[in-house]
Amino acid sequence: MSNVAGRLAPDALLAQAVELHRQGRLSEAEPLYRAILAVDPRQPDALHHLGLLGFQAGHLLPAEQLLAKASAVAPGDPVVLNNWGIVLARLGRLAEARSRFEAAVGRSPGYADALVNLANVLADAGDAAAAEQRYREALDIAPDSAEARNNFGRLLLSRKRLPEAIACFEEALRTKPGHALAQNNLGNAYREVGRLEEACRCYREAARLRPDMPEPASNLLVAMTCDPAIEIGEVFKAHVEFAARFEPRIAMPAPSFAPRAPGRLRVGYVSADLRAHAVAAFAIALLEAHDRTTFEVSVYHNAFVEDEFTRRARGAAERFVTVAGLTDDSFVQLVREHRIDVLVDLSGHTADNRLLAFARRAAPVQATWLGYINTTGLAAMDFRITDAQVDPPGATEQWHTETLLRLPASLWCYRSWPCSPDVCPSPGLERGYVTFGSTANPAKLNASLLRAWKRLLGRVPGSRLLVHAPEDVDFRQRILATVCEDGQPEERVAFFPRLPAMEYLRQYADIDICLDSFPCAGATTTLDALWMGVPVVSLAGQAPYSRAGASILTTLGLVECLAHCEDEYVERAAALAADLPALARLRSALRGRLQASPLMDEPGFARAMEAAFAHMCRSKGLAPSPGDPPWPP
């Protein structure tokens, strides 16, 4: 290649390098760019394209430096500014990226791609209104831009403006039928409005279009857990197929971990949800309760947006690193440099997970906990942290690639929302009728569940049903069509949308009895309801993801709320509704009962988790080093 470079004029050499680059032959294009720069270190096009090549190869810091040089020698070039901004955004330097995109737009007001990138950064920074304005400006300039439609749809989806989001993704696909990201995102929007079958079809099509992209494959697995027609064995098989598709592709050499360095046991937590999210309250309670004489705690935050929850997590960790912009290989290298002993996944297959980093064996011991009550399917995931109610011994091992490690009480330790409202008096006593309620994620509301609710309303005359549902007319009408199909007045069913935290908690003042979803049961919503004094009726199935309610209710001794089939689910709820004074007494006692239980014992939970981590290390042959603090028994 160097002989060819020596024979060609710089312009011809650049043209050849750009063509090789365009064909994806990066390893052949790179030496040509470098040959040009060896002669003229300030050649702007070579600097620019070599920076892009570095970005494509995942070498973000060198790419950023090259693009900075390109911008210095070609000041004001909007394309260079735009591409520089893309790399800065990937590095998490959102304010700098925004500045570059704004400069690109200022230089070239009709530059739709730069407007879209600016909107993306604004959305990542949490400024939804400004992001929406910029997306609309881009679409005014380029109405056929599938990228602009797709990214605008993602913003609308995050704001729960679901009909608009669906329209955006559908328009993106009309413009560019093979757009895998839009297909995947359309599946997410369909799932949010309960169109599960259509969501799964979108995920499968996105996976077909981009078999190298794990997101639609993970999304399909999550959706399968909400479908009562899919048996746990089939769900497990799909998880194993995910691993078979992605784990063999990982080209990093097998790790050879050095003997652990003396000192405290090093635990790292990986999550995109350390913000106003269900995962955060559980995780931050553990972070703050860790014994720092024995444990060194690191947090790897796979998101750019931060809020008060994120700041609490940052303050509770000795090392807090934002890793959202890192490639999986770079993330793995970082974890190994930090000499982490136990790396803990808090996401499973939910959004923005880093499972492919775990598949690369980032740490000697790897475990999954909390965010996904099911197997990951990965051979490289050593343990799943659970309890004996979610995973009864001998009952669910066959559906896991991980070793199950059961905590002595519960896999959850609940921390209530700050400034929670007081428990309100029983609404049923005042009204003379019972209001059942569902606060579950609407994606979990399937036909079998709705038919059970229909039977319950028929079983309890005069009762009402209050359902969390998106402000989507078709979705709400589907619920009404099933629940009220036998002539029940539609006035017996009411809806409420997604609400801010305190308004959501106050909504429990209107509910006497909560109805858990099945087969995918709730955990956070169940604990929130109990905290607000509202008992929850749950159906325990075979699968671990159907047994969150079983764990929580059993821990609290509320066996009268736990069912094992649909008939019993209806009868348990009807029995609670039949005695309003008893229901009122239970309501007034539930918060205190929860506070006195292992479900809110943060120090006890932390000690149990720490003992679990020490056990994992011993079982994987990771022994304490001389001079270590004593490991938990």
Side-chain angles (χ1 to χ4, degrees):
M1 187 66 74
S2 58
N3 291 336
V4 173
R7 293 196 302 270
L8 292 177
D11 288 349
L13 193 60
L14 180 65
Q16 182 177 344
V18 169
E19 177 58 23
L20 290 167
H21 193 164
R22 186 190 67 78
Q23 295 174 19
R25 295 159 65 181
L26 305 188
S27 62
E28 297 174 63
E30 180 177 354
L32 299 187
Y33 290 136
R34 294 196 182 280
I36 296 167
L37 292 171
V39 175
D40 181 3
R42 293 173 55 82
Q43 211 291 331
D45 292 327
L47 286 167
H48 179 203
H49 285 94
L50 186 59
L52 286 180
L53 187 150
F55 171 70
Q56 289 170 282
H59 305 309
L60 299 183
L61 287 173
E64 191 274 329
Q65 293 164 0
L66 285 162
L67 289 165
K69 290 178 182 177
S71 186
V73 299
D77 185 318
V79 177
V80 174
L81 287 166
N82 179 63
N83 290 330
W84 188 9
I86 291 171
V87 178
L88 288 165
R90 182 67 65 86
L91 285 166
R93 293 157 60 181
L94 300 188
E96 295 173 74
R98 175 178 178 174
S99 174
R100 303 309 181 275
F101 293 136
E102 287 175 338
V105 172
R107 286 279 181 170
S108 179
Y111 195 176
D113 286 350
L115 279 166
V116 171
N117 289 326
L118 175 57
N120 293 342
V121 164
L122 291 166
D124 284 341
D127 192 344
E132 178 169 350
Q133 177 184 341
R134 293 300 193 172
Y135 283 130
R136 291 192 184 280
E137 289 175 20
L139 287 166
D140 285 343
I141 295 166
D144 292 333
S145 170
E147 293 301 324
R149 292 280 178 200
N150 176 59
N151 283 284
F152 186 25
R154 288 179 65 243
L155 176 72
L156 294 168
L157 180 58
S158 73
R159 309 300 293 175
K160 303 302 178 183
R161 291 162 58 180
L162 301 176
E164 294 173 84
I166 289 170
C168 260
F169 298 135
E170 289 176 339
E171 182 60 32
L173 288 166
R174 278 192 287 273
T175 304
K176 187 176 179 181
H179 198 301
L181 288 173
Q183 192 73 249
N184 175 69
N185 292 331
L186 180 59
N188 289 337
Y190 280 155
R191 193 175 75 202
E192 287 281 331
V193 296
R195 295 163 65 175
L196 203 60
E197 185 175 336
E198 292 162 278
C200 290
R201 187 180 68 243
C202 288
Y203 296 143
R204 290 187 175 98
E205 176 61 11
R208 185 191 68 79
L209 290 165
R210 284 284 305 276
D212 62 317
M213 189 167 69
E215 288 84 353
S218 280
N219 287 335
L220 178 61
L221 298 178
V222 174
M224 290 175 74
T225 67
C226 298
D227 189 341
I230 302 179
E231 296 292 334
I232 177 60
E234 186 177 346
V235 175
F236 173 60
K237 180 183 177 184
H239 283 74
V240 173
E241 288 171 352
F242 173 94
R245 182 191 305 176
F246 290 102
E247 281 190 298
R249 296 184 179 189
I250 293 164
M252 288 186 77
S256 177
F257 294 105
R260 72 176 305 275
R264 296 171 294 166
L265 199 96
R266 299 170 185 88
V267 179
Y269 296 92
V270 185
S271 178
D273 299 323
L274 296 173
R275 48 188 170 81
H277 185 279
V279 164
F282 298 104
I284 293 169
L286 174 60
L287 292 176
E288 292 181 343
H290 260 308
D291 178 1
R292 297 312 169 82
T293 64
T294 311
F295 286 83
E296 178 184 304
V297 177
S298 298
V299 170
Y300 300 98
H301 179 51
N302 196 43
F304 292 126
V305 175
E306 296 194 9
D307 60 14
E308 183 56 34
F309 288 88
T310 320
R311 289 185 281 276
R312 289 286 296 274
R314 184 186 292 276
E318 287 155 281
R319 179 188 290 118
F320 186 100
V321 186
T322 297
V323 296
L326 296 185
T327 64
D328 289 317
D329 288 348
S330 298
F331 176 39
V332 169
Q333 187 61 38
L334 181 68
V335 172
R336 293 180 185 171
E337 288 171 3
H338 292 163
R339 304 292 295 270
I340 296 299
D341 298 313
V342 183
L343 192 66
V344 186
D345 158 57
L346 303 183
S347 301
H349 284 279
T350 62
D352 299 318
N353 69 73
R354 297 304 297 255
L355 286 181
L356 295 195
F358 283 83
R360 287 163 166 78
R361 179 56 71 176
V365 181
Q366 302 191 143
T368 184
W369 168 61
L370 185 62
Y372 189 66
I373 313 303
N374 201 3
T375 184
T376 62
L378 298 181
M381 192 69 76
D382 302 307
F383 298 94
R384 194 182 130 243
I385 300 169
T386 183
D387 64 45
Q389 294 300 324
V390 169
D391 290 278
T396 60
E397 282 85 351
Q398 62 185 309
W399 300 315
H400 286 84
T401 55
E402 305 87 354
T403 297
L404 296 177
L405 197 153
R406 296 174 178 86
L407 298 178
S410 172
L411 71 91
W412 290 281
C413 185
Y414 177 70
R415 177 178 286 186
S416 61
W417 286 88
C419 305
S420 297
D422 293 334
V423 174
C424 292
S426 173
L429 274 182
E430 180 181 342
R431 297 168 178 164
Y433 63 83
V434 164
T435 300
F436 298 105
S438 168
T439 57
N441 184 328
K444 298 180 179 181
L445 306 188
N446 56 73
S448 295
L449 181 64
L450 298 181
R451 287 193 293 269
W453 291 353
K454 176 189 72 172
R455 291 170 56 201
L456 179 59
L457 290 184
R459 180 77 170 71
V460 184
S463 59
R464 303 289 192 272
L465 177 63
L466 181 61
V467 182
H468 170 218
E471 295 181 279
D472 178 89
V473 173
D474 291 340
F475 180 73
R476 294 184 174 190
Q477 192 54 48
R478 285 198 302 275
I479 292 176
L480 291 172
T482 300
V483 174
C484 302
E485 69 179 352
D486 289 340
Q488 298 286 357
E490 291 189 357
E491 291 75 19
R492 293 183 70 183
V493 181
F495 299 96
F496 68 94
R498 183 182 178 90
L499 298 169
M502 290 305 106
E503 291 181 44
Y504 153 71
L505 291 175
R506 282 191 285 270
Q507 190 70 67
Y508 285 105
D510 291 325
I511 299 172
D512 293 286
I513 301 167
C514 265
L515 304 171
D516 197 4
S517 53
F518 61 78
C520 190
T524 308
T525 51
T526 296
L527 286 159
D528 287 341
L530 295 167
W531 176 251
M532 297 308 300
V534 181
V536 181
V537 175
S538 186
L539 195 165
Q542 284 186 302
Y545 50 81
S546 73
R547 298 183 60 83
S551 172
I552 294 164
L553 296 172
T554 302
T555 302
L556 288 173
L558 292 170
V559 293
E560 68 272 23
C561 296
L562 187 58
H564 297 87
C565 65
E566 290 184 29
D567 287 345
E568 191 178 10
Y569 177 87
V570 172
E571 290 306 313
R572 293 283 192 190
L576 286 172
D579 190 342
L580 290 178
L583 197 57
R585 290 192 296 272
L586 180 59
R587 187 184 191 94
S588 65
L590 275 177
R591 180 172 288 189
R593 197 163 167 174
L594 184 58
Q595 287 173 314
S597 77
L599 291 163
M600 295 190 75
D601 177 9
E602 294 180 9
F605 182 78
R607 302 296 82 77
M609 286 289 283
E610 289 163 356
F613 294 147
H615 171 79
M616 293 176 197
C617 289
R618 293 189 185 99
S619 69
K620 296 292 287 185
L622 199 65
S625 301
D628 280 352
W631 285 14

